[in-house]
């Protein structure tokens, strides 16, 4: 997208293992390389490339001993910092917006009008710290959006996984800010004062 070409080593490997890259038509790369105003980045967890039957494939595998989300995804805030640094150093100096960053956990129930979700709060705190480090390193990040505001329908898991910083009682539609929402509110308030 930023270079107007596929990496030569990957094209050679793909063609060696699968055959000619016939899907690319004349003019495709020029269209793909059209200027954009910003780059949106979704980051939840690291994706590692591992060989699988002779073909490299990205897998959400995790390192043993690392904490995981309710989806079984490894929690690695430093991965966000590394990703932003690599984008900055190897691809583009365009402004970046973190368009999705969040996690699903088995939250506790609503008790006295509150929902404790310490794992999500820690996830957000770690990723916001990594984001601050990336900005200090020179990454031009302009926006950060938590995924998701509300517990909602997740495409693969339905209503079983709760990503929201606001708890939704699906039967009554009652909404209760979780501890992570209050943490994020206070984080934003402090950031605006700095």
């Amino acid at each position: 997208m930023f270079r107007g070409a596929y990496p030569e080593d990957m094209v050679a490997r793909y063609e060696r293992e699968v055959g000619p890259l016939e899907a690319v038509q004349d003019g495709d790369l020029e269209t793909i390389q059209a200027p954009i105003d910003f780059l949106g980045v979704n980051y939840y967890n690291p994706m590692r490339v591992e060989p699988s039957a002779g073909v490299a494939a990205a897998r959400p595998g995790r390192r043993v001993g690392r904490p995981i989300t309710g989806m079984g995804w490894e929690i690695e805030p430093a991965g966000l910092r590394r990703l932003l640094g690599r984008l900055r150093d190897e691809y583009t100096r365009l402004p970046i917006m973190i368009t999705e960053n969040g996690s699903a956990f088995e939250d506790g129930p609503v008790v006295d009008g509150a929902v404790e979700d310490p794992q999500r709060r820690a996830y957000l705190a770690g990723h916001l710290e990594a984001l601050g480090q990336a900005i200090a390193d020179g990454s031009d990040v302009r926006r950060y959006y938590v995924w998701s505001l509300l517990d909602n329908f997740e495409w693969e898991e339905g209503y079983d996984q709760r990503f929201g910083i606001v708890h939704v009682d699906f039967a009554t539609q009652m909404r209760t800010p979780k501890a992570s929402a209050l943490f994020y509110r206070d984080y934003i308030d402090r950031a605006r004062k700095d």
Side-chain angles (χ1 to χ4, degrees):
M1 188 171 101
F2 293 111
R3 296 176 179 158
Y6 290 106
E8 290 180 19
D9 61 333
M10 294 307 296
V11 170
R13 181 175 180 158
Y14 179 88
E15 289 184 335
R16 187 174 58 250
E17 293 179 10
V18 181
L21 191 62
E22 296 170 343
V24 179
Q25 303 294 310
D26 286 341
D28 283 356
L29 295 176
E30 290 78 16
T31 299
I32 291 168
Q33 194 182 15
I36 57 176
D37 297 325
F38 67 90
L39 177 64
V41 173
N42 295 356
Y43 179 85
Y44 295 97
N45 59 296
M47 296 291 283
R48 296 188 177 76
V49 176
E50 301 172 349
S52 174
V55 177
R59 305 202 187 293
R62 64 185 180 95
R63 293 184 177 147
V64 176
R66 294 276 180 104
I68 59 172
T69 69
M71 299 282 285
W73 298 344
E74 180 182 334
I75 300 171
E76 187 178 359
L80 176 60
R81 181 182 184 185
R82 285 193 306 274
L83 172 63
L84 294 172
R86 186 165 183 204
L87 288 169
R88 178 195 67 238
D89 295 343
E90 297 181 29
Y91 292 97
T92 185
R93 293 287 179 146
L94 280 172
I96 291 177
M97 295 189 191
I98 307 301
T99 46
E100 291 186 15
N101 177 240
S103 54
F105 293 103
E106 189 172 319
D107 300 331
V110 177
V111 176
D112 296 328
V115 175
E116 294 298 325
D117 61 340
Q119 292 172 304
R120 183 175 297 100
R121 184 188 179 286
Y123 179 98
L124 290 176
H127 284 80
L128 288 167
E129 180 179 345
L131 179 59
Q133 292 166 344
I135 292 168
D137 295 343
S139 294
D140 185 8
V141 180
R142 305 273 180 100
R143 300 284 185 275
Y144 173 87
Y145 300 98
V146 172
W147 184 257
S148 166
L149 174 64
L150 302 172
D151 289 331
N152 59 6
F153 183 82
E154 200 280 328
W155 292 109
E156 292 182 5
E157 303 293 331
Y159 292 107
D160 291 340
Q161 295 292 330
R162 292 182 176 264
F163 276 86
I165 59 174
V166 175
H167 177 273
V168 177
D169 181 317
F170 297 124
T172 66
Q173 293 300 298
M174 175 68 89
R175 290 149 190 200
T176 306
K178 300 175 186 177
S180 59
L182 304 178
F183 161 79
Y184 189 46
R185 175 201 62 196
D186 295 344
Y187 179 92
I188 292 168
D189 187 49
R190 283 190 310 275
R192 285 184 176 153
K193 291 176 182 172
D194 287 345

